[in-house]
Amino acid sequence: MTVTSDITVLQAIRQAGAEVLSSCEQGICGTCLTPVLEGTPDHRDSVLTDHERSAGNCLVPCVSRSCCDRLVLDL
């Protein structure tokens, strides 16, 4: 699925017909924290620490985007 830069990862997941548990959808609660299997997330949340962001193995999809052409999540 091609995702444009004006939608969040969570919106793209839902458009693809999948679902991720979410609550605040503002990047502050961490309910939707999702493992990243491949790619580089563009973190825009207030949940992850700098260390967790640099590790790149999870993201908060309700506010995040991708820094690369392909982002694979463990849904």
Side-chain angles (χ1 to χ4, degrees):
M1 169 178 196
T2 300
V3 180
T4 58
S5 62
D6 62 331
I7 66 171
T8 66
V9 174
L10 182 61
Q11 290 168 322
I13 291 168
R14 288 179 174 163
Q15 286 179 7
E19 189 59 45
V20 171
L21 184 63
S22 65
S23 184
C24 74
E25 296 191 20
Q26 296 178 9
I28 57 174
C29 74
T31 299
C32 62
L33 187 66
T34 303
V36 174
L37 301 176
E38 181 182 326
T40 305
D42 177 10
H43 300 286
R44 300 184 182 188
D45 63 271
S46 298
V47 175
L48 299 175
T49 65
D50 288 341
H51 177 71
E52 290 169 321
R53 286 188 179 114
S54 64
N57 58 6
C58 62
L59 86 156
V60 178
C62 68
V63 292
S64 297
R65 310 290 197 282
S66 179
C67 290
C68 56
D69 291 338
R70 180 176 166 88
L71 187 66
V72 180
L73 305 178
D74 186 4
L75 301 177

